Amino acid sequence: MPLTFKSHLLMKPKLPTISKSFRNAFAGMLLMLLSACATQPPQPQIGLSDLLNRPGERALLSGIHLYEDAQYADAEKSLSDSLEKGFTVKKDAALAYKYLAFIYCTSSRIDACKKAFRAARVSDPSFMLSKSESGHPLWGPVYRQVIAE
């Protein structure tokens, strides 16, 4: 008997078969994933107001702002103060050293510039300047020399 349109719709579709071992493995992975999610404590959210209550971070933000306003002497003092006060995150120290290196290089204090770049790398081993920063004519060559050491 040939299939008609109506009889074809009434037929159950043939689904691909999935092995029992695959189903068990999938269920196990799903349970592991769900249990891992359930055991992770929620991460605290840190806002700008929290950072401003930390002396090191507050001095760092001030130093960056002063640097961007071309107030280099005041920026140097604020960035140095931030390092003395300390940070909860080591990448912040690397950021402070980076801006200090920029100030030192632009004021022809090459040894201090090298030392600041080295300190940035010690603070954060993944520290790197961006492509545009490393191409700067004053501190780019000094940075490249330091990372080649």
Side-chain angles (χ1 to χ4, degrees):
M1 175 170 111
L3 291 177
T4 64
F5 179 73
K6 187 174 181 182
S7 66
H8 182 66
L9 289 176
L10 297 175
M11 292 178 63
K12 290 186 179 179
K14 188 172 185 177
L15 297 175
T17 58
I18 299 173
S19 72
K20 186 175 181 179
S21 60
F22 178 81
R23 282 194 310 257
N24 290 341
F26 181 76
M29 288 190 309
L30 185 59
L31 283 174
M32 274 187 357
L33 182 63
L34 290 173
S35 66
C37 292
T39 60
Q40 295 294 323
Q43 297 296 320
Q45 293 185 2
I46 298 175
L48 185 57
S49 60
D50 298 314
L51 291 176
L52 292 176
N53 288 326
R54 298 176 183 170
E57 284 81 354
R58 185 173 51 245
L60 174 61
L61 289 172
S62 174
I64 293 171
H65 179 73
L66 290 164
Y67 176 86
E68 290 174 350
D69 284 346
Q71 299 177 30
Y72 301 119
D74 291 336
E76 182 179 346
K77 181 178 179 345
S78 187
L79 293 166
S80 296
D81 287 347
S82 74
L83 290 164
E84 289 175 16
K85 292 174 181 175
F87 301 103
T88 54
V89 177
K90 294 203 178 251
K91 286 186 178 216
D92 289 342
L95 188 60
Y97 282 121
K98 176 182 97 166
Y99 279 98
L100 283 170
F102 291 173
I103 292 168
Y104 297 148
C105 279
T106 56
S107 59
S108 300
R109 295 181 277 169
I110 303 304
D111 288 338
C113 181
K114 288 179 185 178
K115 186 177 177 182
F117 278 135
R118 286 186 195 111
R121 293 194 65 187
V122 167
S123 297
D124 176 15
S126 67
F127 169 78
M128 291 182 64
L129 292 182
S130 70
K131 187 175 180 178
S132 62
E133 289 172 335
S134 65
H136 191 277
L138 294 176
W139 60 71
V142 178
Y143 169 74
R144 288 189 296 277
Q145 182 182 5
V146 167
I147 61 169
E149 293 176 347

